[in-house]
Amino acid sequence: MTIDKDNLLASIMESLNRIQYIKLEDIPNIDLYMDQVTTFMDRKLKKTTRHQKEDKILTKTMINNYTKNDLLPPPERKKYTKDHIILLIFIYYYKGILSIQDIQTLLGPLADNFFHTDEKLDLGTIYNQVFALEKDQVKGLKEDIIKKFEISQDTFADASPENQEFLRLFSFICMLSYDVYVKRLLIEKMIDTMSNAGSNEKNNDKTAKESKK
């Protein structure tokens, strides 16, 4: 097994450079039918897929299921607004790491409090601020990946030449995977906290209403 280490790391860095997000101003200000929504999302996010020819960003079935599971408010006269598109973008990024229930817990307050609001703090403002933070993380992410890669190259010094390259690549993947695993646990823990807080609030409201009877 022969791996060009320099090309591998360069390819990873280049992949990070190509990561883009949909700018708020790129989202149409007019309402879209479902076919137009799937076409828009496909055009903007296709490059983020692993297999660009086969992988789908969104399908009609996916969007209908998101609505049925209360992840997405129903369309208005079969049309989806800019706020619908923003929520769909969040769903797209989260669905690879979180369950439908966790996404519902996370995005529910956004839909309840900021969907089609006339307030200054609307979904568009939230979207812009959140993704601005993500862009700022790329430099630190690159540095962390390079550090993990360099550490992996010092492992299995006693392995035979024919196995060493594979084992070092395996070490690199393991370090990246462990990082993802731990962060997912933390995210799930925070979502559970949100869910429990929401349940307690509902129970308190129910108790208050019953005491007034």
Side-chain angles (χ1 to χ4, degrees), residues 102-190:
D102 283 344
I103 298 174
Q104 182 181 10
T105 301
L106 189 58
L107 297 185
L110 285 182
D112 291 342
N113 299 315
F114 305 105
F115 187 82
H116 289 179
T117 181
D118 294 327
E119 300 295 329
K120 184 176 181 180
L121 184 59
D122 57 10
L123 273 182
T125 303
I126 294 170
Y127 179 83
N128 262 346
Q129 290 198 25
V130 167
F131 278 95
L133 294 174
E134 295 296 324
K135 289 175 64 178
D136 291 340
Q137 297 300 310
V138 173
K139 181 180 178 181
L141 181 60
K142 286 182 178 180
E143 293 172 351
D144 181 63
I145 289 174
I146 292 172
K147 182 179 180 181
K148 285 181 169 62
F149 182 79
E150 291 174 346
I151 292 173
S152 72
Q153 297 310 296
D154 291 330
T155 60
F156 297 104
D158 297 332
S160 62
E162 60 269 23
N163 291 324
Q164 191 177 73
E165 283 189 298
F166 164 74
L167 290 172
R168 286 178 172 176
L169 179 61
F170 181 71
S171 297
F172 183 43
I173 292 173
C174 284
M175 283 191 288
L176 294 174
S177 299
Y178 183 70
D179 187 62
V180 174
Y181 168 73
V182 171
K183 287 178 180 177
R184 178 172 178 171
L185 288 180
L186 293 175
I187 292 169
E188 290 174 343
K189 180 67 175 178
M190 287 185 282

Side-chain angles (χ1 to χ4, degrees), residues 5-205:
K5 296 187 289 295
D6 293 334
N7 280 346
L8 173 62
L9 190 57
S11 176
I12 292 172
M13 293 299 108
E14 181 58 30
S15 295
L16 290 175
N17 289 333
R18 290 197 302 268
I19 293 177
Q20 296 180 337
Y21 75 99
I22 300 175
K23 297 178 181 178
L24 185 65
E25 55 266 30
D26 290 340
I27 302 175
N29 285 315
I30 59 173
D31 297 347
L32 304 177
Y33 287 107
M34 186 180 287
D35 285 340
Q36 294 173 307
V37 172
T38 57
T39 299
F40 171 77
M41 295 287 284
D42 193 69
R43 186 175 72 251
K44 291 295 184 179
L45 295 173
K46 193 68 172 178
K47 290 183 180 179
T48 66
T49 58
R50 183 177 183 181
H51 306 291
Q52 294 187 18
K53 291 184 178 180
E54 298 87 9
D55 293 345
K56 299 292 184 180
I57 300 298
L58 280 177
T59 65
K60 295 179 181 179
T61 301
M62 289 179 189
I63 295 175
N64 285 330
N65 284 337
Y66 297 152
T67 302
K68 290 178 182 177
N69 286 283
D70 296 326
L71 296 180
L72 187 72
E76 301 172 359
R77 298 177 183 178
K78 297 184 178 181
K79 286 188 175 183
Y80 296 84
T81 66
K82 193 168 188 173
D83 279 1
H84 281 106
I85 304 300
I86 290 172
L87 288 176
L88 282 171
I89 294 170
F90 279 125
I91 292 170
Y92 172 73
Y93 285 118
Y94 288 134
K95 69 186 180 70
I97 57 173
L98 297 175
S99 67
I100 292 293
Q101 184 177 354
D102 283 344
I103 298 174
Q104 182 181 10
T105 301
L106 189 58
L107 297 185
L110 285 182
D112 291 342
N113 299 315
F114 305 105
F115 187 82
H116 289 179
T117 181
D118 294 327
E119 300 295 329
K120 184 176 181 180
L121 184 59
D122 57 10
L123 273 182
T125 303
I126 294 170
Y127 179 83
N128 262 346
Q129 290 198 25
V130 167
F131 278 95
L133 294 174
E134 295 296 324
K135 289 175 64 178
D136 291 340
Q137 297 300 310
V138 173
K139 181 180 178 181
L141 181 60
K142 286 182 178 180
E143 293 172 351
D144 181 63
I145 289 174
I146 292 172
K147 182 179 180 181
K148 285 181 169 62
F149 182 79
E150 291 174 346
I151 292 173
S152 72
Q153 297 310 296
D154 291 330
T155 60
F156 297 104
D158 297 332
S160 62
E162 60 269 23
N163 291 324
Q164 191 177 73
E165 283 189 298
F166 164 74
L167 290 172
R168 286 178 172 176
L169 179 61
F170 181 71
S171 297
F172 183 43
I173 292 173
C174 284
M175 283 191 288
L176 294 174
S177 299
Y178 183 70
D179 187 62
V180 174
Y181 168 73
V182 171
K183 287 178 180 177
R184 178 172 178 171
L185 288 180
L186 293 175
I187 292 169
E188 290 174 343
K189 180 67 175 178
M190 287 185 282
I191 290 175
D192 287 342
T193 301
M194 292 171 60
S195 180
N196 292 335
S199 297
N200 291 336
E201 186 175 340
K202 288 181 180 179
N203 290 333
N204 290 336
D205 289 343

